[in-house]
């Protein structure tokens, strides 16, 4: 740590000397004024990077800027200041690269919490939507920018109705940055539907924890008056009527409430061949705390702000639902089983109109399947 600081100071001195030496000879007043202004700008730039976080080398800060601020040509040229966290959580920045890899923990690595949502800024937003509608429930759907088919399928099915069981429901889509996605098309789509939120993180599978924490931050800062929220994947069949009925049952808490399909004593996957692989340096324990499966979990809307705050002290890893489980545990809380656990189902073997009338969630295979199932499900007549 000391050697980094000394190196940074020495480099500053060298750059100051470099700024002065070439201009010892006499020059005209305008030239001297211009050189002095240039040297002052350079000094301010170096001083900013050197002293904004005295544990980072100047060269590391410049590398962070060049790698992470402009990954794609269409990426906006702004970003919130990185958040400094506990020294135990030192992460290098390769999670931002196009071919996202697991961020490794190295001695002397950069002290930036990549999952902390205020490292990022919103590019597309609907800042007043909650103030205008005062929702009872907000459905937050993570989806990639190019996956317009999934968004349209949801808009035609369970995300279509704004009032369900006499309660106001909002359905919003959270997007990151995806190479090749057309920002103007997304802006036009949002202008038409007013349901997109896009942030400037890289939208990859391994960055789902970042995406989820950005969702939590948006709920905490843009929609604090909602009673409940749900993070629900874009490949889900959601029986929204049953969900609203469940949330209005007597005894359902309005604070510190998290429910869904509960996962107990789940082992951490150490096989590098698995999409759920987590290296020990990111998560050393052999098992996760109890968490709710990421396909769709429901929570009282006081929790997002608490999750964002407690995430400052939790090392990020790439399994987003287990990460929320870690945040819940750190808060001294635990997920609550739903009143009827059988309503939160994962995969289905076949469509059954009667069964789909009784559940809340099911994972589907495609957007076309969702539209076909929904069309049949909404036909007049009894379901069973």
């Amino acid at each position: 740590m000391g050697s980094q600081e000394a190196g940074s100071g020495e480099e500053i001195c060298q750059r100051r000397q470099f700024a002065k030496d070439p201009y010892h000879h006499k020059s005209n007043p305008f030239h001297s004024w211009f050189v002095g202004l240039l040297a002052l700008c350079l000094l301010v730039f170096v001083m900013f990077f050197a002293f904004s976080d005295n544990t980072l080398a100047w060269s590391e800060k410049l590398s962070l800027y060049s790698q992470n601020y402009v990954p794609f040509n269409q990426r906006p040229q702004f970003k919130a200041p990185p958040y400094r966290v506990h020294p135990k959580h030192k992460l290098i920045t390769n999670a931002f690269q196009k071919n996202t890899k697991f961020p490794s923990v190295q001695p002397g690595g950069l002290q930036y919490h990549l999952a902390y949502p205020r490292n990022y800024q919103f590019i597309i937003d609907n800042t007043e939507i909650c103030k205008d509608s005062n929702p009872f429930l907000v459905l937050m759907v993570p989806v990639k920018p190019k996956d317009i088919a999934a968004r349209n399928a949801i808009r035609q099915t369970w995300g279509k109705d704004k009032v369900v069981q006499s309660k106001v429901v909002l359905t919003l889509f959270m997007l990151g940055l995806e190479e090749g996605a057309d920002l103007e098309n997304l802006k036009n789509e949002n202008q038409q539907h007013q349901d997109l939120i896009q942030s400037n993180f890289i939208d990859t599978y391994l960055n789902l924890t970042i995406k989820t924490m950005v969702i939590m931050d948006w709920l905490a800062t843009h929609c604090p008056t909602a009673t409940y929220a749900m993070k629900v994947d874009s490949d889900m069949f959601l029986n929204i009527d049953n969900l609203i009925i469940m949330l209005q049952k007597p005894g359902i808490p309005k604070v510190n409430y998290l429910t869904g399909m509960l996962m107990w004593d789940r082992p951490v996957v150490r096989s590098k061949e698995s999409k759920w692989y987590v290296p020990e340096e990111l998560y050393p324990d052999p098992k996760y705390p109890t968490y709710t499966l990421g396909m769709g979990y429901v929570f009282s809307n006081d929790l997002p702000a608490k999750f964002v705050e407690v995430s400052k002290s939790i090392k990020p890893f790439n399994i987003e639902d287990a990460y929320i489980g870690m945040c819940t545990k750190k808060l001294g809380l635990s997920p609550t089983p739903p009143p009827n656990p059988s309503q939160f189902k994962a995969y289905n073997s076949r469509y059954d109109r009667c069964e789909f009338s009784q559940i809340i969630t099911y994972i589907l295979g495609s957007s076309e399947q969702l539209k076909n199932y929904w069309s049949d499900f909404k036909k007049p007549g009894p379901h069973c």
Side-chain angles (χ1 to χ4, degrees), residues 52-107:
S52 62
D53 183 344
N54 59 12
T55 64
L56 296 183
W58 183 89
S59 59
E60 289 179 321
K61 290 175 179 288
L62 187 59
S63 174
L64 175 70
Y65 182 89
S66 62
Q67 291 181 40
N68 298 337
Y69 278 44
V70 196
F72 303 139
N73 290 335
Q74 70 269 34
R75 186 166 183 171
Q77 304 297 307
F78 58 82
K79 190 182 181 200
Y83 182 83
R84 183 176 175 229
V85 296
H86 194 280
K88 291 189 300 182
H89 305 159
K90 299 175 182 179
L91 303 178
I92 64 172
T93 60
N94 57 355
F96 284 96
Q97 303 308 311
K98 176 183 173 183
N99 57 338
T100 306
K101 299 178 180 179
F102 295 101
S104 59
V105 180
Q106 298 179 348

Short mmCIF file of all heavy atoms in Angstrom, two decimals, residues 52-107:
data_model
loop_
_atom_site.label_atom_id
_atom_site.label_comp_id
_atom_site.label_asym_id
_atom_site.label_seq_id
_atom_site.Cartn_x
_atom_site.Cartn_y
_atom_site.Cartn_z
N SER A 52 -7.96 11.57 -5.20
CA SER A 52 -9.35 11.16 -5.00
C SER A 52 -9.44 9.85 -4.25
O SER A 52 -10.40 9.57 -3.56
CB SER A 52 -10.08 11.05 -6.34
OG SER A 52 -9.46 10.05 -7.14
N ASP A 53 -8.42 9.00 -4.36
CA ASP A 53 -8.34 7.78 -3.55
C ASP A 53 -6.85 7.47 -3.43
O ASP A 53 -6.23 6.97 -4.35
CB ASP A 53 -9.07 6.62 -4.25
CG ASP A 53 -9.08 5.36 -3.41
OD1 ASP A 53 -8.27 5.30 -2.46
OD2 ASP A 53 -9.86 4.46 -3.73
N ASN A 54 -6.25 7.79 -2.26
CA ASN A 54 -4.80 7.72 -2.16
C ASN A 54 -4.27 6.30 -2.13
O ASN A 54 -3.08 6.08 -2.04
CB ASN A 54 -4.32 8.48 -0.92
CG ASN A 54 -4.94 7.92 0.35
OD1 ASN A 54 -5.53 6.85 0.33
ND2 ASN A 54 -4.79 8.65 1.45
N THR A 55 -5.14 5.31 -2.21
CA THR A 55 -4.67 3.92 -2.24
C THR A 55 -4.48 3.42 -3.66
O THR A 55 -4.03 2.31 -3.86
CB THR A 55 -5.67 3.00 -1.54
OG1 THR A 55 -6.90 3.02 -2.24
CG2 THR A 55 -5.87 3.40 -0.11
N LEU A 56 -4.83 4.22 -4.67
CA LEU A 56 -4.73 3.78 -6.05
C LEU A 56 -3.60 4.48 -6.77
O LEU A 56 -3.42 5.70 -6.62
CB LEU A 56 -6.04 4.07 -6.79
CG LEU A 56 -7.28 3.34 -6.31
CD1 LEU A 56 -8.44 3.71 -7.21
CD2 LEU A 56 -7.07 1.84 -6.27
N ALA A 57 -2.86 3.74 -7.55
CA ALA A 57 -1.83 4.35 -8.38
C ALA A 57 -2.48 5.15 -9.49
O ALA A 57 -3.54 4.80 -9.98
CB ALA A 57 -0.92 3.27 -8.97
N TRP A 58 -1.80 6.25 -9.89
CA TRP A 58 -2.35 7.09 -10.97
C TRP A 58 -2.58 6.29 -12.22
O TRP A 58 -3.59 6.44 -12.90
CB TRP A 58 -1.36 8.23 -11.22
CG TRP A 58 -1.84 9.21 -12.24
CD1 TRP A 58 -2.58 10.32 -12.03
CD2 TRP A 58 -1.60 9.16 -13.65
NE1 TRP A 58 -2.84 10.96 -13.19
CE2 TRP A 58 -2.24 10.28 -14.22
CE3 TRP A 58 -0.93 8.28 -14.48
CZ2 TRP A 58 -2.22 10.54 -15.57
CZ3 TRP A 58 -0.90 8.54 -15.84
CH2 TRP A 58 -1.54 9.66 -16.36
N SER A 59 -1.61 5.45 -12.57
CA SER A 59 -1.74 4.67 -13.79
C SER A 59 -2.92 3.72 -13.73
O SER A 59 -3.58 3.46 -14.73
CB SER A 59 -0.46 3.87 -14.04
OG SER A 59 -0.20 3.01 -12.94
N GLU A 60 -3.24 3.16 -12.53
CA GLU A 60 -4.38 2.28 -12.38
C GLU A 60 -5.68 3.04 -12.60
O GLU A 60 -6.62 2.54 -13.21
CB GLU A 60 -4.39 1.64 -10.99
CG GLU A 60 -3.32 0.61 -10.78
CD GLU A 60 -3.36 0.03 -9.38
OE1 GLU A 60 -3.59 0.79 -8.43
OE2 GLU A 60 -3.16 -1.18 -9.24
N LYS A 61 -5.73 4.28 -12.10
CA LYS A 61 -6.95 5.08 -12.26
C LYS A 61 -7.19 5.39 -13.73
O LYS A 61 -8.32 5.32 -14.22
CB LYS A 61 -6.85 6.38 -11.45
CG LYS A 61 -6.91 6.17 -9.95
CD LYS A 61 -6.69 7.49 -9.24
CE LYS A 61 -6.77 7.31 -7.74
NZ LYS A 61 -8.12 7.07 -7.30
N LEU A 62 -6.11 5.77 -14.44
CA LEU A 62 -6.25 6.06 -15.85
C LEU A 62 -6.69 4.83 -16.62
O LEU A 62 -7.53 4.90 -17.53
CB LEU A 62 -4.93 6.59 -16.40
CG LEU A 62 -4.96 7.11 -17.84
CD1 LEU A 62 -5.96 8.23 -17.98
CD2 LEU A 62 -3.57 7.56 -18.26
N SER A 63 -6.15 3.67 -16.21
CA SER A 63 -6.55 2.42 -16.85
C SER A 63 -8.02 2.14 -16.61
O SER A 63 -8.75 1.72 -17.49
CB SER A 63 -5.70 1.26 -16.32
OG SER A 63 -6.16 0.03 -16.82
N LEU A 64 -8.49 2.37 -15.38
CA LEU A 64 -9.90 2.16 -15.05
C LEU A 64 -10.78 3.03 -15.93
O LEU A 64 -11.77 2.57 -16.49
CB LEU A 64 -10.15 2.51 -13.58
CG LEU A 64 -11.59 2.45 -13.11
CD1 LEU A 64 -12.07 0.99 -13.07
CD2 LEU A 64 -11.75 3.08 -11.74
N TYR A 65 -10.38 4.30 -16.10
CA TYR A 65 -11.18 5.20 -16.92
C TYR A 65 -11.23 4.73 -18.37
O TYR A 65 -12.30 4.63 -18.97
CB TYR A 65 -10.59 6.61 -16.85
CG TYR A 65 -11.37 7.62 -17.63
CD1 TYR A 65 -12.42 8.31 -17.04
CD2 TYR A 65 -11.08 7.88 -18.96
CE1 TYR A 65 -13.15 9.24 -17.76
CE2 TYR A 65 -11.81 8.79 -19.68
CZ TYR A 65 -12.84 9.47 -19.08
OH TYR A 65 -13.56 10.38 -19.79
N SER A 66 -10.05 4.41 -18.91
CA SER A 66 -10.00 4.07 -20.33
C SER A 66 -10.70 2.76 -20.64
O SER A 66 -11.27 2.59 -21.70
CB SER A 66 -8.53 3.98 -20.79
OG SER A 66 -7.87 2.95 -20.08
N GLN A 67 -10.70 1.81 -19.67
CA GLN A 67 -11.32 0.51 -19.92
C GLN A 67 -12.83 0.55 -19.71
O GLN A 67 -13.57 -0.11 -20.43
CB GLN A 67 -10.73 -0.54 -19.00
CG GLN A 67 -9.28 -0.88 -19.32
CD GLN A 67 -8.76 -1.95 -18.38
OE1 GLN A 67 -9.46 -2.88 -18.05
NE2 GLN A 67 -7.53 -1.78 -17.95
N ASN A 68 -13.27 1.30 -18.72
CA ASN A 68 -14.65 1.14 -18.27
C ASN A 68 -15.60 2.24 -18.69
O ASN A 68 -16.81 2.04 -18.68
CB ASN A 68 -14.69 1.04 -16.75
CG ASN A 68 -13.93 -0.17 -16.26
OD1 ASN A 68 -13.75 -1.11 -17.00
ND2 ASN A 68 -13.48 -0.13 -15.02
N TYR A 69 -15.09 3.38 -19.04
CA TYR A 69 -16.01 4.47 -19.34
C TYR A 69 -16.55 4.39 -20.77
O TYR A 69 -17.63 4.84 -21.02
CB TYR A 69 -15.31 5.82 -19.15
CG TYR A 69 -15.29 6.28 -17.72
CD1 TYR A 69 -14.98 5.39 -16.70
CD2 TYR A 69 -15.60 7.59 -17.38
CE1 TYR A 69 -14.96 5.81 -15.39
CE2 TYR A 69 -15.58 8.01 -16.07
CZ TYR A 69 -15.25 7.12 -15.07
OH TYR A 69 -15.23 7.52 -13.76
N VAL A 70 -15.79 3.84 -21.69
CA VAL A 70 -16.22 3.83 -23.08
C VAL A 70 -16.01 2.45 -23.70
O VAL A 70 -15.18 2.28 -24.58
CB VAL A 70 -15.47 4.92 -23.89
CG1 VAL A 70 -16.19 5.18 -25.21
CG2 VAL A 70 -15.33 6.21 -23.12
N PRO A 71 -16.76 1.44 -23.30
CA PRO A 71 -16.56 0.12 -23.87
C PRO A 71 -17.08 -0.02 -25.29
O PRO A 71 -16.58 -0.80 -26.08
CB PRO A 71 -17.33 -0.80 -22.92
CG PRO A 71 -18.37 0.07 -22.33
CD PRO A 71 -17.76 1.44 -22.26
N PHE A 72 -18.15 0.72 -25.63
CA PHE A 72 -18.71 0.68 -26.97
C PHE A 72 -18.78 2.09 -27.52
O PHE A 72 -18.82 3.07 -26.79
CB PHE A 72 -20.13 0.09 -26.96
CG PHE A 72 -20.21 -1.28 -26.35
CD1 PHE A 72 -21.27 -1.61 -25.52
CD2 PHE A 72 -19.25 -2.24 -26.61
CE1 PHE A 72 -21.35 -2.87 -24.97
CE2 PHE A 72 -19.33 -3.49 -26.06
CZ PHE A 72 -20.38 -3.80 -25.22
N ASN A 73 -18.86 2.18 -28.84
CA ASN A 73 -18.91 3.51 -29.45
C ASN A 73 -20.12 4.31 -29.01
O ASN A 73 -20.08 5.52 -28.89
CB ASN A 73 -18.92 3.37 -30.99
CG ASN A 73 -17.60 2.90 -31.52
OD1 ASN A 73 -16.57 3.09 -30.87
ND2 ASN A 73 -17.62 2.26 -32.68
N GLN A 74 -21.26 3.60 -28.76
CA GLN A 74 -22.48 4.33 -28.42
C GLN A 74 -22.60 4.63 -26.94
O GLN A 74 -23.58 5.21 -26.51
CB GLN A 74 -23.71 3.52 -28.87
CG GLN A 74 -23.97 2.24 -28.06
CD GLN A 74 -23.30 1.03 -28.66
OE1 GLN A 74 -22.23 1.16 -29.22
NE2 GLN A 74 -23.92 -0.12 -28.56
N ARG A 75 -21.59 4.25 -26.17
CA ARG A 75 -21.72 4.46 -24.73
C ARG A 75 -21.61 5.93 -24.39
O ARG A 75 -20.73 6.64 -24.88
CB ARG A 75 -20.64 3.68 -23.99
CG ARG A 75 -20.82 3.76 -22.48
CD ARG A 75 -19.98 2.73 -21.79
NE ARG A 75 -20.24 2.78 -20.35
CZ ARG A 75 -19.81 1.90 -19.50
NH1 ARG A 75 -19.09 0.88 -19.90
NH2 ARG A 75 -20.07 2.02 -18.21
N PRO A 76 -22.47 6.47 -23.53
CA PRO A 76 -22.42 7.87 -23.16
C PRO A 76 -21.10 8.21 -22.47
O PRO A 76 -20.53 7.38 -21.77
CB PRO A 76 -23.60 8.03 -22.19
CG PRO A 76 -24.49 6.88 -22.49
CD PRO A 76 -23.61 5.77 -22.94
N GLN A 77 -20.65 9.44 -22.64
CA GLN A 77 -19.36 9.86 -22.10
C GLN A 77 -19.52 10.44 -20.70
O GLN A 77 -19.07 11.53 -20.40
CB GLN A 77 -18.73 10.89 -23.04
CG GLN A 77 -18.59 10.38 -24.46
CD GLN A 77 -17.65 9.19 -24.53
OE1 GLN A 77 -16.54 9.27 -24.06
NE2 GLN A 77 -18.09 8.10 -25.13
N PHE A 78 -20.17 9.72 -19.81
CA PHE A 78 -20.27 10.15 -18.43
C PHE A 78 -20.46 8.94 -17.55
O PHE A 78 -20.88 7.89 -17.98
CB PHE A 78 -21.44 11.12 -18.22
CG PHE A 78 -22.78 10.54 -18.62
CD1 PHE A 78 -23.51 9.70 -17.76
CD2 PHE A 78 -23.29 10.83 -19.87
CE1 PHE A 78 -24.72 9.18 -18.15
CE2 PHE A 78 -24.50 10.28 -20.25
CZ PHE A 78 -25.22 9.47 -19.39
N LYS A 79 -20.10 9.13 -16.28
CA LYS A 79 -20.26 8.04 -15.31
C LYS A 79 -20.15 8.60 -13.91
O LYS A 79 -19.40 9.53 -13.66
CB LYS A 79 -19.20 6.97 -15.54
CG LYS A 79 -19.46 5.71 -14.73
CD LYS A 79 -18.35 4.71 -14.95
CE LYS A 79 -18.66 3.46 -14.14
NZ LYS A 79 -17.46 2.65 -13.92
N ALA A 80 -20.90 8.03 -13.00
CA ALA A 80 -20.82 8.47 -11.62
C ALA A 80 -19.47 8.08 -11.02
O ALA A 80 -18.86 7.12 -11.45
CB ALA A 80 -21.96 7.84 -10.81
N PRO A 81 -18.99 8.84 -10.03
CA PRO A 81 -17.72 8.47 -9.41
C PRO A 81 -17.78 7.07 -8.83
O PRO A 81 -18.76 6.69 -8.23
CB PRO A 81 -17.57 9.53 -8.29
CG PRO A 81 -18.45 10.65 -8.70
CD PRO A 81 -19.58 10.04 -9.45
N PRO A 82 -16.70 6.29 -9.03
CA PRO A 82 -16.70 4.94 -8.47
C PRO A 82 -16.81 4.98 -6.96
O PRO A 82 -16.35 5.91 -6.31
CB PRO A 82 -15.35 4.37 -8.92
CG PRO A 82 -14.94 5.21 -10.07
CD PRO A 82 -15.50 6.57 -9.80
N TYR A 83 -17.42 3.94 -6.40
CA TYR A 83 -17.63 3.88 -4.96
C TYR A 83 -16.51 3.07 -4.32
O TYR A 83 -16.24 1.95 -4.73
CB TYR A 83 -18.98 3.22 -4.65
CG TYR A 83 -19.27 3.18 -3.18
CD1 TYR A 83 -19.79 4.28 -2.55
CD2 TYR A 83 -18.96 2.05 -2.43
CE1 TYR A 83 -20.03 4.26 -1.19
CE2 TYR A 83 -19.19 2.02 -1.08
CZ TYR A 83 -19.73 3.12 -0.46
OH TYR A 83 -19.97 3.09 0.88
N ARG A 84 -15.85 3.62 -3.34
CA ARG A 84 -14.78 2.92 -2.66
C ARG A 84 -15.35 2.09 -1.52
O ARG A 84 -16.16 2.57 -0.72
CB ARG A 84 -13.76 3.91 -2.12
CG ARG A 84 -12.57 3.20 -1.46
CD ARG A 84 -11.52 4.20 -1.01
NE ARG A 84 -10.48 3.48 -0.29
CZ ARG A 84 -10.02 3.87 0.90
NH1 ARG A 84 -10.52 4.92 1.48
NH2 ARG A 84 -9.07 3.18 1.48
N VAL A 85 -14.93 0.85 -1.42
CA VAL A 85 -15.46 -0.04 -0.40
C VAL A 85 -14.34 -0.58 0.46
O VAL A 85 -13.18 -0.19 0.33
CB VAL A 85 -16.24 -1.21 -1.03
CG1 VAL A 85 -17.45 -0.72 -1.77
CG2 VAL A 85 -15.35 -2.01 -1.97
N HIS A 86 -14.69 -1.48 1.34
CA HIS A 86 -13.75 -2.06 2.28
C HIS A 86 -12.56 -2.67 1.52
O HIS A 86 -12.74 -3.27 0.46
CB HIS A 86 -14.45 -3.15 3.09
CG HIS A 86 -13.67 -3.56 4.30
ND1 HIS A 86 -12.62 -4.44 4.21
CD2 HIS A 86 -13.78 -3.23 5.61
CE1 HIS A 86 -12.11 -4.64 5.42
NE2 HIS A 86 -12.78 -3.92 6.27
N PRO A 87 -11.33 -2.51 2.05
CA PRO A 87 -10.15 -3.03 1.35
C PRO A 87 -10.20 -4.52 1.05
O PRO A 87 -9.54 -4.99 0.13
CB PRO A 87 -9.00 -2.72 2.32
CG PRO A 87 -9.48 -1.54 3.10
CD PRO A 87 -10.97 -1.72 3.23
N LYS A 88 -11.01 -5.29 1.78
CA LYS A 88 -11.12 -6.72 1.50
C LYS A 88 -11.72 -6.98 0.13
O LYS A 88 -11.52 -8.03 -0.46
CB LYS A 88 -11.99 -7.41 2.55
CG LYS A 88 -11.37 -7.49 3.92
CD LYS A 88 -12.21 -8.37 4.83
CE LYS A 88 -13.62 -7.86 5.00
NZ LYS A 88 -14.42 -8.68 5.92
N HIS A 89 -12.48 -6.01 -0.38
CA HIS A 89 -13.22 -6.23 -1.61
C HIS A 89 -12.52 -5.56 -2.78
O HIS A 89 -13.09 -4.72 -3.48
CB HIS A 89 -14.65 -5.69 -1.47
CG HIS A 89 -15.36 -6.27 -0.30
ND1 HIS A 89 -16.44 -5.67 0.27
CD2 HIS A 89 -15.13 -7.41 0.42
CE1 HIS A 89 -16.87 -6.40 1.28
NE2 HIS A 89 -16.08 -7.46 1.39
N LYS A 90 -11.28 -5.91 -3.00
CA LYS A 90 -10.50 -5.33 -4.10
C LYS A 90 -10.71 -6.16 -5.35
O LYS A 90 -10.36 -7.32 -5.40
CB LYS A 90 -9.01 -5.30 -3.73
CG LYS A 90 -8.70 -4.46 -2.49
CD LYS A 90 -7.24 -4.60 -2.13
CE LYS A 90 -6.93 -3.80 -0.87
NZ LYS A 90 -5.52 -3.93 -0.47
N LEU A 91 -11.24 -5.52 -6.38
CA LEU A 91 -11.56 -6.25 -7.61
C LEU A 91 -10.90 -5.56 -8.79
O LEU A 91 -10.90 -4.34 -8.88
CB LEU A 91 -13.07 -6.28 -7.83
CG LEU A 91 -13.89 -6.88 -6.69
CD1 LEU A 91 -15.37 -6.78 -7.03
CD2 LEU A 91 -13.52 -8.32 -6.46
N ILE A 92 -10.36 -6.34 -9.70
CA ILE A 92 -9.88 -5.75 -10.93
C ILE A 92 -11.05 -5.58 -11.89
O ILE A 92 -12.14 -6.06 -11.63
CB ILE A 92 -8.75 -6.60 -11.56
CG1 ILE A 92 -9.28 -7.97 -11.98
CG2 ILE A 92 -7.59 -6.74 -10.63
CD1 ILE A 92 -8.27 -8.77 -12.77
N THR A 93 -10.82 -4.91 -12.99
CA THR A 93 -11.94 -4.43 -13.80
C THR A 93 -12.28 -5.30 -15.00
O THR A 93 -13.02 -4.86 -15.86
CB THR A 93 -11.61 -3.02 -14.32
OG1 THR A 93 -10.43 -3.10 -15.11
CG2 THR A 93 -11.40 -2.06 -13.19
N ASN A 94 -11.79 -6.53 -15.07
CA ASN A 94 -12.05 -7.31 -16.29
C ASN A 94 -13.50 -7.72 -16.44
O ASN A 94 -13.90 -8.19 -17.50
CB ASN A 94 -11.13 -8.54 -16.36
CG ASN A 94 -11.27 -9.44 -15.14
OD1 ASN A 94 -11.98 -9.11 -14.20
ND2 ASN A 94 -10.58 -10.57 -15.15
N ALA A 95 -14.32 -7.56 -15.39
CA ALA A 95 -15.75 -7.89 -15.55
C ALA A 95 -16.44 -6.94 -16.51
O ALA A 95 -17.54 -7.21 -16.97
CB ALA A 95 -16.44 -7.86 -14.20
N PHE A 96 -15.80 -5.81 -16.81
CA PHE A 96 -16.41 -4.84 -17.71
C PHE A 96 -16.11 -5.16 -19.18
O PHE A 96 -16.70 -4.56 -20.06
CB PHE A 96 -15.88 -3.43 -17.43
CG PHE A 96 -16.47 -2.81 -16.21
CD1 PHE A 96 -15.81 -2.88 -15.00
CD2 PHE A 96 -17.67 -2.15 -16.27
CE1 PHE A 96 -16.34 -2.30 -13.88
CE2 PHE A 96 -18.21 -1.57 -15.15
CZ PHE A 96 -17.55 -1.64 -13.95
N GLN A 97 -15.18 -6.06 -19.44
CA GLN A 97 -14.77 -6.29 -20.81
C GLN A 97 -15.86 -7.00 -21.60
O GLN A 97 -16.74 -7.66 -21.06
CB GLN A 97 -13.48 -7.11 -20.84
CG GLN A 97 -12.34 -6.46 -20.06
CD GLN A 97 -12.11 -5.02 -20.49
OE1 GLN A 97 -12.01 -4.74 -21.67
NE2 GLN A 97 -12.05 -4.11 -19.54
N LYS A 98 -15.76 -6.87 -22.91
CA LYS A 98 -16.76 -7.49 -23.79
C LYS A 98 -16.85 -8.99 -23.55
O LYS A 98 -17.94 -9.55 -23.46
CB LYS A 98 -16.37 -7.21 -25.24
CG LYS A 98 -17.27 -7.87 -26.27
CD LYS A 98 -16.77 -7.60 -27.66
CE LYS A 98 -17.56 -8.39 -28.69
NZ LYS A 98 -17.05 -8.20 -30.05
N ASN A 99 -15.71 -9.66 -23.43
CA ASN A 99 -15.70 -11.09 -23.12
C ASN A 99 -15.60 -11.26 -21.61
O ASN A 99 -14.60 -11.71 -21.09
CB ASN A 99 -14.54 -11.79 -23.82
CG ASN A 99 -13.20 -11.19 -23.45
OD1 ASN A 99 -13.14 -10.05 -23.02
ND2 ASN A 99 -12.14 -11.95 -23.62
N THR A 100 -16.65 -10.88 -20.92
CA THR A 100 -16.63 -10.79 -19.47
C THR A 100 -16.08 -12.05 -18.83
O THR A 100 -16.49 -13.15 -19.12
CB THR A 100 -18.06 -10.55 -18.94
OG1 THR A 100 -18.60 -9.42 -19.60
CG2 THR A 100 -18.03 -10.30 -17.45
N LYS A 101 -15.12 -11.86 -17.93
CA LYS A 101 -14.56 -12.95 -17.16
C LYS A 101 -14.85 -12.71 -15.69
O LYS A 101 -15.29 -11.65 -15.28
CB LYS A 101 -13.06 -13.05 -17.40
CG LYS A 101 -12.68 -13.32 -18.85
CD LYS A 101 -11.17 -13.37 -19.01
CE LYS A 101 -10.78 -13.63 -20.46
NZ LYS A 101 -9.31 -13.65 -20.63
N PHE A 102 -14.57 -13.72 -14.88
CA PHE A 102 -14.77 -13.56 -13.45
C PHE A 102 -13.77 -12.56 -12.92
O PHE A 102 -12.57 -12.69 -13.16
CB PHE A 102 -14.60 -14.89 -12.72
CG PHE A 102 -15.63 -15.89 -13.09
CD1 PHE A 102 -15.36 -16.91 -13.99
CD2 PHE A 102 -16.90 -15.81 -12.55
CE1 PHE A 102 -16.32 -17.83 -14.34
CE2 PHE A 102 -17.87 -16.72 -12.90
CZ PHE A 102 -17.58 -17.73 -13.79
N PRO A 103 -14.23 -11.54 -12.18
CA PRO A 103 -13.29 -10.60 -11.59
C PRO A 103 -12.47 -11.27 -10.51
O PRO A 103 -13.00 -11.76 -9.55
CB PRO A 103 -14.20 -9.49 -11.01
CG PRO A 103 -15.50 -10.16 -10.81
CD PRO A 103 -15.62 -11.24 -11.86
N SER A 104 -11.17 -11.32 -10.68
CA SER A 104 -10.33 -11.99 -9.70
C SER A 104 -9.90 -11.02 -8.61
O SER A 104 -9.86 -9.82 -8.82
CB SER A 104 -9.10 -12.59 -10.38
OG SER A 104 -8.36 -11.57 -11.02
N VAL A 105 -9.61 -11.56 -7.46
CA VAL A 105 -9.18 -10.75 -6.33
C VAL A 105 -7.67 -10.83 -6.25
O VAL A 105 -7.10 -11.91 -6.16
CB VAL A 105 -9.81 -11.28 -5.03
CG1 VAL A 105 -9.37 -10.43 -3.85
CG2 VAL A 105 -11.32 -11.28 -5.15
N GLN A 106 -7.00 -9.69 -6.31
CA GLN A 106 -5.55 -9.67 -6.29
C GLN A 106 -5.05 -8.66 -5.26
O GLN A 106 -5.65 -7.59 -5.11
CB GLN A 106 -5.01 -9.28 -7.68
CG GLN A 106 -5.38 -10.26 -8.79
CD GLN A 106 -4.83 -9.80 -10.12
OE1 GLN A 106 -4.37 -8.68 -10.26
NE2 GLN A 106 -4.87 -10.69 -11.09
N PRO A 107 -3.96 -8.98 -4.57
CA PRO A 107 -3.38 -7.98 -3.66
C PRO A 107 -3.03 -6.72 -4.41
O PRO A 107 -2.42 -6.76 -5.48
CB PRO A 107 -2.13 -8.69 -3.13
CG PRO A 107 -2.40 -10.15 -3.33
CD PRO A 107 -3.23 -10.25 -4.57
#
